[in-house]
């Protein structure tokens, strides 16, 4: 869940492999009424990651299987506007820090002050990275991603998280 406009919430729905409900995101009003719902294709399993929101919309990380994008598994970040329309989608295929299709876990996401931060486990050796994107157009900052050392490499399978405040960006590894 992530806070939505006017006291409502956004929710990521991932029902699992044995359900006829599709993965997607929904926006609910403060009274619990569903305002909109956006689903991914039924033709392939899309795995949802993390969500965050700001006044302009919802940010969702997810993983698409090979049949959706030319034979490669990859992770992505998508922004939905408050009306449910897609503003942009960024996919990580080809960047050296985001190239491993077998990376553990899902990217964590946080948003603060016009910037989206994605904390990601790109490789199997316990290394992690943070990427920074503009909230308006999804463009990645030129000097990012940056590597993040892991205190406990033996436990690199643990879920990671990220938070952003006016004072900085914080990670849990």
């Amino acid at each position: 869940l992530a806070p939505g406009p006017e006291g409502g919430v956004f929710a990521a729905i991932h029902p699992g492999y044995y359900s006829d409900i599709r993965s997607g995101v929904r926006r609910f009003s403060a009274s619990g009424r569903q305002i909109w719902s956006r689903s991914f294709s039924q033709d392939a399993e899309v795995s949802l990651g993390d969500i965050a929101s700001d006044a302009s919309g919802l940010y969702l990380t997810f993983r698409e299987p090979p049949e959706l994008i030319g034979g490669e598994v990859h992770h992505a970040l998508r922004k939905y506007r408050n009306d449910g329309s897609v503003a942009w989608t960024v996919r990580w295929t080809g960047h050296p820090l985001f190239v491993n299709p077998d990376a553990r876990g899902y990217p964590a996401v946080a948003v603060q002050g016009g910037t989206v931060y994605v904390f990601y486990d790109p490789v199997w050796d316990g290394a992690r990275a943070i990427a920074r994107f503009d909230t308006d157009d999804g463009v990645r900052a030129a000097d990012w991603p940056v590597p993040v050392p892991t205190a406990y490499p033996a436990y690199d399978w643990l879920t990671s998280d990220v938070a952003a405040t006016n004072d900085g960006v914080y990670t849990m590894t």
Side-chain angles (χ1 to χ4, degrees), residues 49-152:
D50 196 15
I51 61 173
S53 62
D54 66 6
S56 67
L58 171 73
Y59 305 88
L60 167 73
T61 62
F62 59 96
R63 183 177 65 194
E64 292 177 317
E67 55 269 24
L68 288 183
I69 190 86
E72 295 184 69
V73 175
H74 69 277
H75 289 81
L77 170 66
R78 178 172 291 163
K79 178 180 180 177
Y80 289 91
R81 294 180 188 96
N82 286 324
D83 66 3
S85 62
V86 173
W88 47 260
T89 302
V90 178
R91 290 180 173 84
W92 296 296
T93 55
H95 191 281
L97 288 176
F98 292 109
V99 73
N100 186 353
D102 297 318
R104 298 180 183 187
Y106 295 93
V109 63
V111 61
Q112 175 65 35
T115 302
V116 182
Y117 299 93
V118 176
F119 186 45
Y120 188 70
D121 179 5
V123 293
W124 285 96
D125 65 2
R128 289 182 170 64
I130 297 178
R132 187 177 80 181
F133 300 88
D134 184 270
T135 58
D136 291 331
D137 54 18
V139 172
R140 182 178 55 85
D143 56 338
W144 294 65
V146 295
V148 176
T150 301
Y152 302 101

Side-chain angles (χ1 to χ4, degrees), residues 11-13 23-27 36-38 48 51 58 60 80:
I13 310 298
S23 296
V25 292
R26 296 178 183 163
R27 178 179 165 201
W36 53 258
S37 177
R38 301 295 178 262
L48 303 185
I51 61 173
L58 171 73
L60 167 73
Y80 289 91

